[in-house]
Amino acid sequence: MTARVLSVLLLACAQLARASSTFPMCNGTVNEIPAHTDAPIFVRAVPNGRLYNGGGANDTFFVMHVYGTPYQMGYAHGQLFQKEIPLGLKQFYAWIADSIQQILPWLPPEIADLVVKYGAPIALEWSYNMTHPFTPSKYDEEMQGVADGAGVSVWDIRNINMIAELIRAQCSVIGANGPATRNTLDGTLLHLRTLDGMGGATAPMKDYALVTVYHPTSGPAVANFGWVSFIGTVTGFSQTVGVGEKFWNNPPAHSMSAHGEAWTFITRDLLSAPSLDDALATLHSANRTCAVMLGLGDHATNRFVGAQVAAHQYNLFNDTSINYPEHPIYPGIVYWDKYDQPSNNFCFMQLFAHYSGNLTAPLLATTVAPLAQTGDLHAAIFDYHNQIAYFANARKSSVTSGGLNSYDRQFTRLDMAALFAEPQHGAGSG
């Protein structure tokens, strides 16, 4: 071992030891991998769609631009992934079959009996049928377009888009502005959304990570941080607002309903709102189903709101709404960690006590998320003022080295302003 290598290893060990001693209630370690900063690389184009590869080395993901009507955008999606979608669906059905025991407790007894008898897809089809009367036609048109473009059954695309209605994800949400970012970003807004659950780092979706940038015929450009074939929003950032979700454990009795708009379609609706107030009005009037907790941010005002909603619940939170020993008030920070709420974990508390006032997007990505060990499937951090995103995904199946969870993988810095401004080119042009 050379002296240079030894010195680097000793420095890394010292940094990790310092983090462990400073934050003894956090179980993770700092992510020392420098962020990938190169722009996505063009791959191919079809009418109304362009595909790029984002990220570097073993942590690449897809970046797709789609244009036009809902059907045209869906068709381009399907065309660009004609090889990946059939394979991904096969893997998805195999995985969901292995997840039956996780799904069953959330289903009505009569549907659970059908799942045991006929398999998991019946639950997804049931969920689609329950929500379809409330689904905006634009999403049905887009799913039909994806199916037609890829040459698969539209029921397969509908099914994969119902997965979030059935499998609950834990996740973390942080919104930080004002005093929390005053020394680093002049008080402007940061937003962390990490996804824990939905199979975590074992889910096949990790091999199909996709940032879809929608360029509709009207309204703001919208970026979905999700997966191939999936058109709903679990994590999103548009030219006007941002949104991320966390499952709400133990809501009041009879709060949820199977009859309503799928929550991932509602959250995508929110991204098209002109402002946070408009997004909240949309959320309030929506026919909601599942019990979820949302973090919502606003570009124009740097505001951030936490929402706790279900079919028959609608509660909003700011940075002073929640105060107990494991969740003290930190001015300018709205937060929920990945655990059931109210959480009894002290990690976020220690991190905010140390870093409040000096938070940045890279700090949330490489220090806060990995120390708190949140974001096993994916992690996204948004800098609203600078229109920058940091994105990481769980280790791909084809990769055998490095950490398994997204917070231990390489983050990629994305210039969201540039992605939103991407013009439509002719098919096949680079």
Side-chain angles (χ1 to χ4, degrees):
M1 181 180 296
T2 66
R4 177 184 175 86
V5 171
L6 180 60
S7 64
V8 170
L9 290 175
L10 289 174
L11 176 60
C13 290
Q15 290 173 329
L16 296 179
R18 185 161 59 250
S20 299
S21 62
T22 304
F23 310 109
M25 302 305 294
C26 298
N27 294 322
T29 56
V30 172
N31 183 339
E32 301 284 349
I33 306 170
H36 181 83
T37 58
D38 293 347
I41 298 172
F42 176 76
V43 178
R44 58 182 176 270
V46 298
N48 301 306
R50 295 172 61 78
L51 181 63
Y52 294 77
N53 276 336
N58 291 325
D59 292 292
T60 57
F61 54 91
F62 301 112
V63 177
M64 176 177 68
H65 294 268
V66 288
Y67 303 81
T69 66
Y71 181 83
Q72 289 172 330
M73 292 190 289
Y75 193 81
H77 182 161
Q79 280 189 304
L80 288 167
F81 292 104
Q82 283 182 336
K83 294 181 179 180
E84 291 85 357
I85 287 176
L87 177 60
L89 288 170
K90 181 179 180 180
Q91 294 170 338
F92 168 74
Y93 281 125
W95 170 72
I96 200 69
D98 291 338
S99 304
I100 284 179
Q101 293 306 314
Q102 183 181 358
I103 295 172
L104 289 178
W106 303 100
L107 300 178
E110 64 274 17
I111 301 301
D113 291 341
L114 289 175
V115 170
V116 171
K117 187 174 182 180
Y118 297 109
I122 194 69
L124 299 167
E125 293 177 16
W126 169 82
S127 185
Y128 174 81
N129 287 327
M130 292 298 99
T131 59
H132 180 250
F134 305 91
T135 301
S137 60
K138 60 185 178 181
Y139 299 134
D140 267 328
E141 294 166 12
E142 185 178 345
M143 286 188 287
Q144 185 68 60
V146 175
D148 291 348
V152 299
S153 167
V154 70
W155 271 106
D156 288 331
I157 302 302
R158 291 168 178 169
N159 284 350
I160 200 170
N161 276 278
M162 290 298 106
I163 185 61
E165 286 288 295
L166 298 181
I167 292 185
R168 309 307 189 223
Q170 286 293 79
C171 317
S172 297
V173 173
I174 298 171
N177 58 17
T181 63
R182 63 172 174 252
N183 299 328
T184 47
L185 294 168
D186 293 325
T188 55
L189 178 60
L190 292 174
H191 180 180
L192 173 145
R193 184 274 198 269
T194 53
L195 199 164
D196 299 279
M198 287 185 68
T202 66
M205 292 91 80
K206 66 183 182 178
D207 293 329
Y208 301 93
L210 169 66
V211 178
T212 303
V213 185
Y214 290 95
H215 302 268
T217 53
S218 62
V222 168
N224 246 358
F225 290 72
W227 310 278
V228 174
S229 303
F230 194 84
I231 72 165
T233 297
V234 295
T235 306
F237 189 74
S238 77
Q239 291 177 304
T240 52
V241 299
V243 65
E245 170 271 349
K246 170 183 173 61
F247 169 59
W248 178 11
N249 61 295
N250 300 319
H254 311 298
S255 293
M256 297 190 288
S257 172
H259 300 274
E261 184 178 353
W263 72 260
T264 55
F265 291 160
I266 293 175
T267 46
R268 182 153 163 210
D269 292 340
L270 304 182
L271 292 175
S272 297
S275 69
L276 177 58
D277 287 333
D278 292 301
L280 291 174
T282 297
L283 180 61
H284 184 266
S285 63
N287 293 296
R288 302 181 298 274
T289 56
C290 298
V292 297
M293 303 164 76
L294 304 174
L296 301 105
D298 183 68
H299 281 274
T301 64
N302 286 302
R303 289 169 56 210
F304 192 88
V305 172
Q308 192 180 55
V309 299
H312 308 297
Q313 293 287 323
Y314 181 84
N315 309 302
L316 299 182
F317 300 86
N318 60 28
D319 58 338
T320 62
S321 299
I322 305 172
N323 185 21
Y324 61 92
E326 295 91 343
H327 193 295
I329 292 172
Y330 291 100
I333 303 180
V334 178
Y335 65 101
W336 288 304
D337 65 21
K338 68 178 183 179
Y339 302 100
D340 289 351
Q341 303 297 308
S343 170
N344 60 2
N345 186 276
F346 286 93
C347 182
F348 271 5
M349 182 197 73
Q350 290 190 326
L351 291 167
F352 296 147
H354 186 82
Y355 289 115
S356 182
N358 298 294
L359 291 173
T360 64
L363 182 73
L364 290 176
T366 63
T367 301
V368 172
L371 282 175
Q373 293 185 315
T374 183
D376 50 15
L377 185 52
H378 83 206
I381 295 90
F382 304 125
D383 178 335
Y384 282 64
H385 177 72
N386 294 307
Q387 294 196 64
I388 297 296
Y390 284 81
F391 188 45
N393 294 277
R395 189 178 72 199
K396 293 182 178 182
S397 301
S398 59
V399 177
T400 57
S401 61
L404 183 64
N405 300 300
S406 75
Y407 53 78
D408 285 329
R409 305 300 303 178
Q410 184 180 44
F411 279 82
T412 292
R413 182 184 186 274
L414 293 170
D415 183 338
M416 298 308 298
L419 294 182
F420 290 144
E422 176 75 15
Q424 185 172 7
H425 303 264
S429 61

